[in-house]
Amino acid sequence: MPLPDTMTMLRELIAAPSISSTTPDWDQSNLAVIEHLHTWLEALGFNCEVMPVPGEPTKANLIATLGSGPGGLVLSGHTDTVPCDPQLWRSDPFKVEERDQRLYGLGTCDMKGFLALAVEAAKSFTDQPLKSPLIILATADEESSMSGARALVDAGRPKARAAVIGEPSSLKPVRMHKGMMMEAVRIEGRSGHSSDPSLGANALDAMQQVLNELAAFRSELQSRYHNSDFRVDVPTLNFGCIHGGDNPNRICGQCELEFDLRPLPGMSLEGLRDAISARLLPFGERFGVKLEARPLFPGIPAFETPASSELVNLAEKLTGHKAQAVAYGTEAPFLQQLGMDTIILGPGSIDQAHQPDEYLALDQIQPTIDILKQMITRYCL
Ligand SMILES: [Zn+2]
């Protein structure tokens, strides 16, 4: 089978819808995308393994390996996209349309485009023996639960010396991002007539103290942790929503708060959760209510690769840009947990990701292929 060219591969990847969402009605399988990559990479001589994602029969990761041995390089991209509003698009989100020197389509920059370019870069290395493996990794559910990346960590694979995640970074290397936690505090009191407080246990009174305590915790974190590489240079804690009670003349029987916490590199998710529980749980007893603090999802750890890393230095040399810190989360901390020197470096701008009329500028394509080929040469030849 002759292998399709870059544009054909991109068209086929975009035409295979693979939305992932925590809202079940929008969530789709990614198997069609995995199947395309599997076919192309197998034709190039890669050894392909489709790895099921536990508990999700319609999702899978692909680990495609060319060559063998220790060391090597992983080129990683997620196969899923966010949901879209087709009525806000100028063209069909699932059909690549070229206009104004740009390729429009859902996933062109975030980030099926990178996967097509990684396959394109790999084409130049199939007729020579590699000293170390080149691994193209395609993951599931990055935009929702990161269950694909979590499954890789559980499986302890893949392993290589270095990993490049091609999230849209305008071809500037990224070596740091914050983590993300979304947590809930639920307070169950007892309602009763407002005229006599002893008839119930007021969940809102307890929640008021919880808010104060969390605000104090936030101040402590912000005075303790600071990293000037980030535009917002402290950890943040945002009170996102609160729901509870029903009537002014009833003792509030139930109240729930949701907040988001974005730790800096060096702050562990478990450590933060333990600290939050230790500070909040005593309010349950004090107010005679049931108080529960729980994560809304497992969270994404903060990520940092040292400025002195070999991969950071190579990426800075190849791109002419100093590695930076960004405000979005990625699968990087998971690949790093597997022992790989990890950076984020990909075509297209994060400004176009998750937007109607998402596009990849044509002038990003050849430079991406060139950079990837030089990285493969460095790590695999
Ligand atoms: Zn992405």
Side-chain angles (χ1 to χ4, degrees):
M1 185 198 78
L3 214 62
D5 61 17
T6 315
M7 270 306 292
T8 310
M9 288 193 286
L10 183 60
R11 277 182 210 290
E12 294 196 17
L13 293 180
I14 301 298
S18 56
I19 290 166
S20 85
S21 172
T22 50
T23 306
D25 282 354
W26 293 337
D27 195 54
Q28 296 174 327
S29 168
N30 74 330
L31 296 180
V33 175
I34 292 288
E35 199 42 52
H36 281 309
L37 293 167
H38 187 176
T39 306
W40 302 330
L41 288 165
E42 203 156 67
L44 284 176
F46 278 73
N47 188 346
C48 292
E49 183 198 344
V50 177
M51 174 195 272
V53 176
E56 296 191 72
T58 64
K59 314 266 184 171
N61 297 319
L62 177 72
I63 304 176
T65 308
L66 186 69
S68 60
L73 176 68
V74 167
L75 301 178
S76 180
H78 60 82
T79 54
D80 58 320
T81 70
V82 289
C84 67
D85 302 301
Q87 71 279 8
L88 299 181
W89 282 63
R90 270 184 63 193
S91 55
D92 182 346
F94 300 101
K95 246 191 208 148
V96 175
E97 183 169 295
E98 185 179 334
R99 47 174 207 270
D100 315 323
Q101 299 297 304
R102 294 165 174 175
L103 301 171
Y104 288 87
L106 180 65
T108 46
C109 86
D110 190 14
M111 53 175 291
K112 294 173 175 179
F114 175 79
L115 287 168
L117 300 185
V119 177
E120 187 61 41
K123 285 180 184 170
S124 315
F125 296 87
T126 52
D127 53 0
Q128 48 195 317
L130 300 182
K131 275 208 195 80
S132 298
L134 167 63
I135 300 167
I136 294 186
L137 176 64
T139 62
D141 277 1
E142 190 273 344
E143 300 286 7
S144 49
S145 61
M146 298 215 175
S147 59
R150 293 178 209 281
L152 293 171
V153 172
D154 290 344
R157 310 184 36 233
K159 298 249 189 248
R161 196 156 107 221
V164 175
I165 300 178
E167 292 281 2
S169 71
S170 303
L171 287 179
K172 293 174 185 159
V174 170
R175 66 177 185 88
M176 272 191 275
H177 64 61
K178 286 184 181 177
M180 184 167 66
M181 302 166 74
M182 292 188 188
E183 310 281 310
V185 179
R186 185 181 167 82
I187 298 177
E188 200 80 53
R190 206 157 25 86
S191 53
H193 199 282
S194 63
S195 60
D196 181 354
S198 73
L199 294 175
N202 196 310
L204 263 176
D205 281 341
M207 188 58 88
Q208 184 206 341
Q209 295 301 316
V210 164
L211 288 167
N212 288 343
E213 190 64 31
L214 285 173
F217 184 50
R218 172 171 60 194
S219 302
E220 281 172 35
L221 291 177
Q222 293 182 340
S223 58
R224 219 172 116 201
Y225 295 96
H226 173 266
N227 185 329
S228 56
D229 285 315
F230 288 88
R231 192 179 59 78
V232 178
D233 59 5
V234 289
T236 55
L237 188 161
N238 176 63
F239 297 130
C241 66
I242 190 161
H243 301 282
D246 41 40
N247 226 40
N249 60 0
R250 268 191 107 204
I251 294 169
C252 174
Q254 190 269 109
C255 189
E256 180 150 346
L257 165 76
E258 294 182 2
F259 62 95
D260 129 310
L261 201 167
R262 307 212 167 202
L264 285 168
M267 302 168 71
S268 93
L269 304 190
E270 300 76 44
L272 288 164
R273 281 199 187 108
D274 289 347
I276 289 167
S277 293
R279 295 178 81 125
L280 299 189
L281 294 184
F283 291 116
E285 199 170 330
R286 196 180 311 165
F287 286 85
V289 296
K290 212 175 108 204
L291 190 152
E292 178 203 26
R294 65 183 161 90
L296 292 166
F297 87 120
I300 305 167
F303 157 71
E304 177 173 15
T305 291
S308 60
S309 106
E310 178 190 26
L311 179 61
V312 169
N313 289 328
L314 175 63
E316 288 180 337
K317 205 174 113 223
L318 293 178
T319 62
H321 291 283
K322 200 168 143 22
Q324 49 189 355
V326 293
Y328 51 88
T330 72
E331 296 173 323
F334 300 100
L335 297 192
Q336 193 177 41
Q337 271 184 58
L338 288 167
M340 296 184 276
D341 199 4
T342 303
I343 58 162
I344 297 146
L345 174 64
S349 162
I350 196 71
D351 298 341
Q352 270 80 56
H354 303 201
Q355 300 291 330
D357 297 327
E358 174 183 340
Y359 68 82
L360 178 63
L362 283 172
D363 65 9
Q364 295 271 289
I365 290 179
Q366 198 52 49
T368 303
I369 296 170
D370 293 342
I371 289 168
L372 293 181
K373 281 188 188 170
Q374 293 179 78
M375 289 192 155
I376 297 167
T377 301
R378 169 73 163 265
Y379 279 95
C380 306
L381 277 189

